[in-house]
Amino acid sequence: MTEYKTEAQKKKFYRSGDWETLRQQALVRDNFECQWCKKEGKVTVDSIKEEGKRKDIVLNVDHKYGIENYPQLALVLNNLETLCVYHHNVKEGRVFGQTKKKKWDDEKW
Ligand SMILES: [Zn+2]
């Protein structure tokens, strides 16, 4: 069983052709939309690459079950989900936990 515990192992995985192929399959399946935004009724897609500019990367293909703990699910399409950068960060706990105040849904109208 291949393991993805270290940064080097993960890097190697994310550079592999197998991952690239599966990632594309996930994007096509998810219609190149963030699946969490979709649940909220929003459409978030990758920005169009403009000539001479670096493309903003908006969408990530995320493992629902992380490869570190579930290496056997690393190349399982059903374990993949297209997420925007924002929701990817939320899922990884990079947004929650930094501040206890919720920024987006505590406004009373
Ligand atoms: Zn999103």
Coordinates of all heavy atoms in Angstrom, one line a residue, residues 19 22 26 29 61-67 70-82 91:
W19 N -3.1 10.8 -11.0 CA -3.9 11.8 -10.2 C -4.5 12.8 -11.2 O -5.6 13.2 -11.2 CB -3.1 12.5 -9.2 CG -3.7 13.7 -8.7 CD1 -3.2 15.0 -8.8 CD2 -4.9 13.8 -7.9 NE1 -4.1 15.9 -8.2 CE2 -5.2 15.2 -7.7 CE3 -5.9 12.9 -7.5 CZ2 -6.3 15.7 -7.0 CZ3 -7.0 13.4 -6.8 CH2 -7.2 14.7 -6.6
L22 N -7.5 11.5 -13.1 CA -8.6 11.3 -12.2 C -9.2 12.7 -11.8 O -10.4 12.9 -11.7 CB -8.3 10.6 -10.9 CG -9.5 10.0 -10.2 CD1 -10.1 8.8 -11.0 CD2 -9.1 9.5 -8.8
A26 N -13.0 14.2 -12.3 CA -13.8 14.7 -11.2 C -14.3 16.1 -11.6 O -15.5 16.4 -11.4 CB -12.9 14.8 -9.9
R29 N -17.1 15.6 -14.1 CA -18.2 15.1 -13.4 C -19.0 16.2 -12.7 O -20.2 16.3 -12.6 CB -17.8 14.0 -12.5 CG -19.0 13.4 -11.7 CD -18.6 12.7 -10.4 NE -17.9 13.7 -9.5 CZ -17.3 13.3 -8.4 NH1 -17.1 12.1 -8.1 NH2 -16.7 14.3 -7.6
V61 N -9.6 20.0 -6.6 CA -10.2 18.7 -6.4 C -9.8 18.2 -5.1 O -8.6 18.0 -4.9 CB -9.9 17.8 -7.6 CG1 -10.5 16.4 -7.3 CG2 -10.5 18.4 -8.9
D62 N -10.7 18.0 -4.2 CA -10.4 17.7 -2.8 C -10.8 16.2 -2.6 O -11.7 15.7 -3.1 CB -11.3 18.6 -1.9 CG -11.0 18.3 -0.5 OD1 -9.8 18.4 -0.1 OD2 -11.9 17.9 0.2
H63 N -10.0 15.6 -1.7 CA -10.3 14.2 -1.2 C -11.2 14.4 -0.1 O -10.9 15.0 0.9 CB -9.1 13.5 -0.8 CG -8.2 13.0 -1.9 ND1 -7.1 13.7 -2.4 CD2 -8.3 11.9 -2.7 CE1 -6.6 13.0 -3.4 NE2 -7.3 11.9 -3.6
K64 N -12.4 13.8 -0.1 CA -13.4 13.9 1.0 C -12.7 13.2 2.2 O -12.8 13.7 3.3 CB -14.7 13.2 0.7 CG -15.5 13.9 -0.4 CD -16.8 13.1 -0.6 CE -17.4 13.5 -2.0 NZ -18.6 12.6 -2.3
Y65 N -12.1 12.1 2.0 CA -11.3 11.4 3.0 C -9.9 11.6 2.6 O -9.4 11.1 1.6 CB -11.7 9.9 3.1 CG -13.1 9.7 3.6 CD1 -14.1 9.5 2.7 CD2 -13.3 9.6 5.0 CE1 -15.4 9.3 3.1 CE2 -14.6 9.4 5.4 CZ -15.7 9.2 4.5 OH -16.9 9.0 4.9
G66 N -9.1 12.3 3.5 CA -7.8 12.7 3.1 C -6.9 11.5 2.8 O -7.0 10.4 3.5
I67 N -6.0 11.7 1.9 CA -5.1 10.6 1.5 C -4.1 10.1 2.6 O -3.6 9.0 2.6 CB -4.3 10.9 0.2 CG1 -3.4 12.1 0.4 CG2 -5.3 11.1 -1.0 CD1 -2.5 12.4 -0.8
Y70 N -6.5 7.9 4.5 CA -7.2 6.9 3.6 C -6.5 6.8 2.3 O -7.0 7.1 1.3 CB -8.6 7.4 3.4 CG -9.4 7.5 4.7 CD1 -9.5 8.7 5.4 CD2 -10.1 6.4 5.2 CE1 -10.2 8.8 6.6 CE2 -10.9 6.5 6.4 CZ -10.9 7.7 7.1 OH -11.6 7.8 8.2
P71 N -5.2 6.2 2.3 CA -4.5 6.1 1.1 C -5.2 5.3 0.0 O -5.0 5.5 -1.2 CB -3.1 5.5 1.5 CG -3.4 4.9 2.8 CD -4.5 5.7 3.5
Q72 N -6.0 4.3 0.5 CA -6.7 3.4 -0.4 C -7.7 4.2 -1.2 O -8.2 3.6 -2.2 CB -7.3 2.2 0.3 CG -8.4 2.5 1.2 CD -8.0 2.9 2.6 OE1 -7.0 3.5 2.8 NE2 -8.9 2.7 3.6
L73 N -8.1 5.4 -0.8 CA -9.1 6.2 -1.5 C -8.5 7.3 -2.3 O -9.3 8.1 -2.9 CB -10.1 6.8 -0.5 CG -10.9 5.8 0.4 CD1 -11.8 6.5 1.4 CD2 -11.8 4.9 -0.5
A74 N -7.2 7.3 -2.4 CA -6.5 8.4 -3.2 C -7.0 8.5 -4.6 O -7.1 9.6 -5.2 CB -5.0 8.2 -3.1
L75 N -7.2 7.3 -5.2 CA -7.6 7.3 -6.7 C -9.0 6.8 -6.9 O -9.3 6.1 -7.9 CB -6.5 6.6 -7.5 CG -5.2 7.2 -7.6 CD1 -4.1 6.3 -8.1 CD2 -5.2 8.5 -8.4
V76 N -9.9 7.1 -6.0 CA -11.3 6.7 -6.1 C -12.1 7.9 -6.4 O -12.1 8.9 -5.6 CB -11.8 6.0 -4.8 CG1 -13.3 5.7 -4.9 CG2 -11.0 4.8 -4.5
L77 N -12.7 7.9 -7.6 CA -13.5 9.1 -8.1 C -14.5 9.5 -7.1 O -14.7 10.7 -6.9 CB -14.1 8.8 -9.4 CG -14.7 10.0 -10.2 CD1 -13.8 11.1 -10.4 CD2 -15.3 9.5 -11.5
N78 N -15.2 8.6 -6.5 CA -16.3 8.9 -5.5 C -15.8 9.6 -4.3 O -16.5 10.2 -3.5 CB -17.1 7.7 -5.1 CG -18.0 7.2 -6.2 OD1 -18.4 8.0 -7.0 ND2 -18.4 6.0 -6.1
N79 N -14.5 9.5 -4.1 CA -13.9 10.2 -2.9 C -13.4 11.6 -3.2 O -12.9 12.3 -2.4 CB -12.7 9.4 -2.4 CG -12.1 10.0 -1.1 OD1 -12.9 10.4 -0.2 ND2 -10.8 10.0 -0.9
L80 N -13.7 12.1 -4.5 CA -13.2 13.4 -4.9 C -14.4 14.3 -5.0 O -15.5 14.0 -5.4 CB -12.5 13.3 -6.2 CG -11.3 12.3 -6.3 CD1 -10.7 12.4 -7.7 CD2 -10.3 12.7 -5.3
E81 N -14.1 15.6 -4.7 CA -15.1 16.6 -4.8 C -14.4 17.9 -5.2 O -13.4 18.3 -4.7 CB -15.7 16.8 -3.4 CG -16.9 17.7 -3.3 CD -17.6 17.5 -1.9 OE1 -16.9 17.5 -0.9 OE2 -18.8 17.5 -1.9
T82 N -15.1 18.6 -6.1 CA -14.5 19.9 -6.6 C -14.9 21.0 -5.6 O -16.1 21.2 -5.4 CB -15.0 20.2 -8.0 OG1 -14.7 19.1 -8.9 CG2 -14.4 21.5 -8.6
K91 N -13.0 23.5 4.7 CA -13.0 22.1 4.9 C -11.7 21.7 5.7 O -11.7 20.9 6.6 CB -13.1 21.3 3.6 CG -13.0 19.8 3.9 CD -13.2 19.0 2.7 CE -13.1 17.5 3.0 NZ -11.7 17.1 3.0

